[in-house]
Amino acid sequence: MARPYTQKFLMELGSRQDDSLGTRLARACIHSNLSSTHIAVALGVTRATIHNWFHGMKIARSRRPIVEAFLKLVLEDTQKGDLPVTNAKQSKHYIEMMLGREI
């Protein structure tokens, strides 16, 4: 991926005890190897917002439904074997297929 998650962040996430939506999103996206840039496009937010959510910042109530729907799709596609992707090109393609348009 273009900008991999830091070892420090991965260790922090692994030891985190909460089950917040942001934590579940982070775990699913990292496990799926999806780029935070592509996730941001899919969710209509900035990459910085994605990182804030991954680090524990609360997700606004108005954003929760789309984040929950996105998370559900990622988890289903992981179970089906469509994820994880292996590179940034595949990450982009996955999001484009999800959105039904180029990004």
Side-chain angles (χ1 to χ4, degrees), residues 20-29 31-32 34 39 42-43 59 63-83 94-95 98:
S20 68
L21 183 56
T23 297
R24 288 183 287 136
L25 179 66
R27 287 184 176 136
C29 292
H31 177 74
S32 301
L34 294 172
I39 298 164
L43 297 177
I59 298 173
R63 294 276 182 198
R64 292 181 73 81
I66 193 167
V67 173
E68 289 168 345
F70 178 84
L71 179 58
K72 182 180 179 201
L73 289 172
V74 168
L75 293 173
E76 287 172 356
D77 287 345
T78 299
Q79 286 184 330
K80 288 191 301 189
D82 295 338
L83 292 171
Y94 174 80
I95 297 299
M98 181 186 279

Side-chain angles (χ1 to χ4, degrees), residues 4-52:
Y5 299 102
T6 66
Q7 190 65 30
K8 179 182 175 186
F9 172 67
L10 295 175
M11 289 174 57
E12 172 196 314
L13 186 64
S15 65
R16 200 179 296 167
Q17 298 298 316
D18 74 272
D19 192 34
S20 68
L21 183 56
T23 297
R24 288 183 287 136
L25 179 66
R27 287 184 176 136
C29 292
I30 289 168
H31 177 74
S32 301
N33 207 23
L34 294 172
S35 161
S36 58
T37 301
H38 301 143
I39 298 164
V41 171
L43 297 177
V45 297
T46 65
R47 190 175 60 81
T49 297
I50 295 299
H51 284 278
N52 286 339

